[in-house]
């Protein structure tokens, strides 16, 4: 999230009368959404799924203030289209979640002031634990082709255990 996004979201949150404690537990947060302009849909960043505007409006309990008329509330979808637009989506390991001021093309990045690209890449989750607790050769993985319909799986080989369980 950029500094400008954080400021806008903070200002919108200050105008909301409901507190987090009274908010519906099923409500989604405004800051979890972006407007994906090429399709007129809304990206829910935690799942990377596109939502229709009506669903965003229904899911966001705290409607933000209109930036032009602070006393007036604005539908979340309309606010997102003005304040958190996205022009493209891409897969770009090593880049920020929202890449500012450039577009992606087949030949690489093209400078474009004001452009915003959402990076669909997520870094791997960190693994916790001590790698020395696993014995060599104790982990096996099986996979199959997409035509069989089965999935890949990994686990401890029969008869093996981690050092911690011995």
């Amino acid at each position: 999230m950029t500094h400008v996004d954080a400021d806008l979201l903070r200002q919108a949150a200050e105008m909301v009368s409901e507190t987090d404690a009274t908010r519906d537990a099923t409500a989604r947060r405004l800051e979890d959404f972006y407007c994906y302009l090429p399709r007129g849909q809304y990206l829910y960043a935690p799942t990377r799924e596109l939502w229709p505007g009506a669903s965003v409006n229904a899911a966001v309990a705290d409607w933000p203030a209109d930036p032009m008329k602070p006393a007036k509330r604005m539908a979340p979808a309309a606010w997102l289209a003005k304040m958190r637009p996205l022009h493209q989506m891409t897969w770009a390991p090593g880049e920020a979640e929202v890449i500012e001021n450039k577009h992606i093309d087949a030949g690489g990045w093209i400078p474009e002031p004001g452009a915003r690209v959402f990076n669909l890449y997520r870094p791997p989750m960190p693994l916790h634990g001590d790698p020395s607790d696993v014995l060599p050769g104790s982990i096996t993985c099986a996979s199959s082709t997409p035509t069989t319909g089965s999935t890949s799986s990994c686990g401890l080989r029969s008869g093996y255990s981690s050092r911690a369980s011995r």
Side-chain angles (χ1 to χ4, degrees), residues 3-154:
H3 178 67
V4 173
D5 284 343
D7 287 346
L8 291 172
L9 288 168
R10 188 174 59 260
Q11 290 170 5
E14 288 171 359
M15 298 300 293
V16 173
S17 60
E18 294 180 11
T19 65
D20 284 340
T22 60
R23 220 170 87 174
D24 181 357
T26 62
R28 302 294 94 200
R29 298 177 316 158
L30 183 65
E31 59 265 23
D32 287 336
F33 290 94
Y34 293 89
C35 178
Y36 183 53
L37 295 176
R39 290 199 184 159
Q41 293 182 310
Y42 298 82
L43 178 74
Y44 182 55
T47 63
R48 306 319 205 228
E49 290 181 285
L50 292 173
W51 290 30
S55 295
V56 173
N57 291 341
V60 174
D62 300 336
W63 284 33
D66 185 328
M68 300 307 211
K69 301 174 190 169
K72 183 182 172 193
R73 297 277 176 230
M74 189 173 194
W79 188 89
L80 290 163
K82 284 185 176 187
M83 310 306 281
R84 287 177 53 103
L86 295 173
H87 303 100
Q88 288 181 304
M89 287 193 281
T90 193
W91 180 266
E95 294 283 345
E97 185 174 69
V98 176
I99 303 159
E100 304 274 352
N101 300 315
K102 52 187 175 180
H103 280 140
I104 189 78
D105 192 14
W109 291 105
I110 300 168
E112 180 68 33
R116 293 169 51 108
V117 179
F118 190 86
N119 185 3
L120 295 167
Y121 174 78
R122 285 187 213 234
M125 298 293 290
L127 297 176
H128 301 287
D130 185 354
S132 66
D133 280 346
V134 179
L135 296 171
S138 62
I139 297 178
T140 62
C141 291
S143 78
S144 61
T145 62
T147 56
T148 65
S150 61
T151 59
S152 298
S153 63
C154 292

